[in-house]
């Protein structure tokens, strides 16, 4: 794959992650314009994340079968159309529906990125491409929040919050033109049929967990949320047993348990969960705390994260060289550095609230970003290093589904904890407690990183 082809698929990888985070700073403006209310606002964020997570593995399977370039372009076109629908939504519930459809479109597009990289590169070129993918993923999550603040404040042509969705349309057009010209077509040599029972049970498992956690706090935890959470363990167990039976009888299940026997993938996934929960929870809580607690405007709240983005980018560039020398211990070092950054931020909040500006926040934010940049690109490269090329779509889908589910879980859990504490304890204490919880999760990721295979191919 040529450099322009790699740029094209990385552009496709950036769009869904940017759009998961870009709405964080736009939520107050959406609420004001559409009178959405807390429960519907949660669905604007969570509806996208749930649809995205539920359909990712299916998207990978369809790409393996029908052709990854074709599915990439189909998903990208659908992403552009649904972004336009979000930007033109006349009511809050119309916006929720468009966001769910946007998440489904992203699930068609994103698995093809990793699968195309796996199928068209080898050796050092694959390692470099995977490092760039990891860097793109991390930067997109931070840049989404920064870009959201800038666009809301710029109020382009009076569009207000709508510009955070409309900006996708010209980017999608560019991506489609490039994909048509430079992207090679690949597919699995052994395409498998769609695993309908597995798809339905995975969907039920993720929806029964993520939807009540996303909506529970805002709706006052009605009966349906507890019923849904009670369904989750049974749905998850049924999914696992169905997939294991399919694997043993020679069929190709949606998530083959045999794939999870790969040590690099299995151990990487276990570490990816707490890392992603902490990352997304932090981004959501910081967006609320800066705007509502410190009374920053959307641009200033976005600029507060620029040091994180710059440090993440610098660490991503250094990562491949460091991995060649120190292997997966780079991930362990990154966790320790991230922990120092969160601790610095916690001490800053405790001593300086509510008179904090960008300069006071910058050291902690930058050090945390440096640590994240040493972890995520290396971890993603490691997880897919042993996945066979003909299972690239499934392997990428499993990894990104785990990441996306954990991102949604982070907003639902850490976000709910923070918002529940604010009325009684105040914004400063709520933020401090949330940062302490994240610090605990970083300790867990550091311990889990010690179990990763030492050599990163």
């Amino acid at each position: 794959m040529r450099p322009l082809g790699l740029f094209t698929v990385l552009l496709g990888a950036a769009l869904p992650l940017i759009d998961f985070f870009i709405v964080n700073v736009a939520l107050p403006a959406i609420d004001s314009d559409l009178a959405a209310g807390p429960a519907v606002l949660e669905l604007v964020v969570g509806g996208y994340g749930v649809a995205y997570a539920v359909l990712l593995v299916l998207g990978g399977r369809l790409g393996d079968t029908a052709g990854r370039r074709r599915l990439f372009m189909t998903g990208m076109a659908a992403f552009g159309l649904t972004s336009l629908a979000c930007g033109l939504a006349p009511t809050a519930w119309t916006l929720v529906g468009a966001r769910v459809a946007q998440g489904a479109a992203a699930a068609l597009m994103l698995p093809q990125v990793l699968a195309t990289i796996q199928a068209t590169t080898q050796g050092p070129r694959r390692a470099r491409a995977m490092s760039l993918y990891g860097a793109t993923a991390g930067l997109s999550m931070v840049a989404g929040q920064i870009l959201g603040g800038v666009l809301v404040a710029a109020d382009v042509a009076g569009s207000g919050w709508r510009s955070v969705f409309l900006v996708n349309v010209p980017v999608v057009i560019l991506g489609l033109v490039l994909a048509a010209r430079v992207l090679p077509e690949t597919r699995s040599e052994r395409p498998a049929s769609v695993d309908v029972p597995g798809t339905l049970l995975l969907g039920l498992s993720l929806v029964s967990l993520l939807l009540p956690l996303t909506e529970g706090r805002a709706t006052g935890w009605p009966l349906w949320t507890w019923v849904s959470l009670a369904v989750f363990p049974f749905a998850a167990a049924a999914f696992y047993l169905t997939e294991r039976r399919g694997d043993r009888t020679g069929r190709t299940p949606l998530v083959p348990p045999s794939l999870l026997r790969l040590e690099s993938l299995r151990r990487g996934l276990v570490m990816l969960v707490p890392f992603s929960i902490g990352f997304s929870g932090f981004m959501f809580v910081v967006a609320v705390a800066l705007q509502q607690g410190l009374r920053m405007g959307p641009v200033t709240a976005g600029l507060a994260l620029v040091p994180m983005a710059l440090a993440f980018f610098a660490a991503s560039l250094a990562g491949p060289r460091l991995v060649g020398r120190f292997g997966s211990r780079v991930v362990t070092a990154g966790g320790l550095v991230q922990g120092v950054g969160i601790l610095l931020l916690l001490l800053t909040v405790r001593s300086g609230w509510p008179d904090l500006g960008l300069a006071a926040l910058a050291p902690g934010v930058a050090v945390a970003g440096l640590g994240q940049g040493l972890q995520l690109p290396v971890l993603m490269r490691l997880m897919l290093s042993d996945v066979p090329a003909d299972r690239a779509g499934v392997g990428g889908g499993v990894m990104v589904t785990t990441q996306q589910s954990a991102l949604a879980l982070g907003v639902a859990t850490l976000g709910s904890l923070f918002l529940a504490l604010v009325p009684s304890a105040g914004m400063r204490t709520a933020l401090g407690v949330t940062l302490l919880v994240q610090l605990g999760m970083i300790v867990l990721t550091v311990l889990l990183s010690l179990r990763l295979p030492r050599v990163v191919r």
Side-chain angles (χ1 to χ4, degrees):
M1 184 166 53
R2 290 182 288 171
L4 192 56
L6 180 60
F7 170 81
T8 303
V9 293
L10 291 181
L11 181 66
L15 281 172
L17 287 167
I18 286 174
D19 261 59
F20 184 85
F21 289 92
I22 200 169
V23 297
N24 282 350
V25 291
L27 290 176
I30 294 172
D31 189 21
S32 175
D33 187 28
L34 300 182
V40 179
L41 285 177
E42 294 275 8
L43 280 177
V44 170
V45 178
Y48 174 87
V50 170
Y52 185 21
V54 164
L55 296 172
L56 271 165
V57 181
L58 178 61
R61 170 66 60 82
L62 292 174
D64 286 349
T65 304
R68 292 153 187 156
R69 176 176 175 270
R70 178 185 299 176
L71 262 291
F72 178 83
M73 294 184 66
T74 301
M76 181 170 273
F79 191 84
L81 291 172
T82 52
S83 296
L84 181 63
C86 289
L88 300 177
T91 67
W93 282 106
T94 307
L95 177 59
V96 169
R99 282 284 283 174
V100 170
Q102 190 187 34
L108 281 181
M109 175 172 59
L110 189 62
Q112 319 317 324
V113 174
L114 287 166
T116 300
I117 290 173
Q118 291 285 94
T120 59
T121 58
Q122 291 181 335
R125 289 182 62 207
R126 178 182 293 178
R128 186 164 54 251
M130 285 304 304
S131 295
L132 286 171
Y133 173 84
T136 300
L139 280 172
S140 298
M141 291 188 276
V142 181
Q145 211 142 301
I146 297 171
L147 181 62
V150 172
L151 288 172
V152 171
D155 193 21
V156 181
S159 58
W161 60 267
R162 298 177 186 276
S163 60
V164 305
F165 300 112
L166 296 175
V167 71
N168 292 333
V169 177
V171 178
V172 162
I173 293 172
L174 171 64
L176 288 172
V177 171
L178 290 174
R181 292 173 61 88
V182 302
L183 208 59
E185 179 64 282
T186 63
R187 54 171 51 87
S188 174
E189 294 179 1
R190 296 178 297 171
S193 59
V194 173
D195 175 14
V196 176
T199 301
L200 293 176
L201 285 169
L202 177 61
L204 178 61
S205 301
L206 292 175
V207 169
S208 63
L209 175 66
L210 296 177
L211 190 59
L213 289 178
T214 300
E215 283 292 286
R217 185 200 60 83
T219 56
W221 296 102
L223 179 62
W224 72 264
T225 59
W226 298 108
V227 172
S228 182
L229 288 171
V231 166
F232 167 69
F234 297 100
F239 171 69
Y240 174 74
L241 293 173
T242 299
E243 300 302 272
R244 188 177 66 174
R245 184 168 61 250
D247 221 6
R248 287 177 173 176
T249 56
R251 293 184 288 109
T252 306
L254 188 70
V255 180
S258 57
L259 198 64
L260 299 179
R261 286 200 285 270
L262 297 172
E263 184 183 53
S264 53
L265 179 62
R266 184 180 69 254
R267 294 188 177 183
L269 289 173
V270 171
M271 182 186 160
L272 184 64
V273 170
F275 177 88
S276 299
I277 288 173
F279 193 109
S280 63
F282 172 83
M283 297 295 286
F284 177 79
V285 167
V286 163
V288 176
L290 294 184
Q291 290 187 90
Q292 296 183 11
L294 298 181
R295 303 298 176 189
M296 291 183 179
V299 172
T300 308
L303 290 176
L305 295 174
V306 168
M308 176 177 281
L310 294 176
F312 191 105
F313 182 65
S316 300
L317 293 179
R321 195 179 311 113
L322 293 172
V323 166
R325 185 172 180 182
F326 301 107
S328 66
R329 291 298 174 262
V330 173
V331 179
T332 305
L336 294 172
V337 172
Q338 184 191 5
V340 170
I342 296 299
L343 186 58
L344 277 174
L345 197 56
L346 177 61
L347 294 174
T348 301
V349 168
R350 289 181 64 87
S351 63
W353 191 276
D355 302 315
L356 295 175
L358 298 184
L361 295 169
V365 170
V367 174
L370 185 69
Q372 291 164 345
L374 290 173
Q375 293 175 85
L376 188 61
V378 178
L379 185 61
M380 287 187 163
R381 171 180 161 186
L382 174 70
M383 281 189 284
L384 295 181
S385 59
D386 296 324
V387 175
D390 64 332
R391 287 187 163 185
V394 177
V398 170
M399 184 187 78
V400 181
T401 296
T402 303
Q403 181 193 31
Q404 185 58 40
S405 300
L407 290 174
L409 201 56
V411 174
T413 53
L414 293 184
S416 293
L417 171 66
F418 171 75
L419 294 173
L421 288 173
V422 169
S424 58
M427 190 75 69
R428 172 178 171 269
T429 301
L431 179 57
V433 170
T434 309
L435 290 174
L436 277 174
V437 172
Q438 190 192 1
L439 201 55
M441 301 193 79
I442 291 171
V443 171
L444 176 60
T445 62
V446 169
L447 294 174
L448 290 171
S449 73
L450 297 175
R451 292 178 51 80
L452 296 173
R454 186 66 184 267
V455 177
V456 181
R457 284 190 288 275

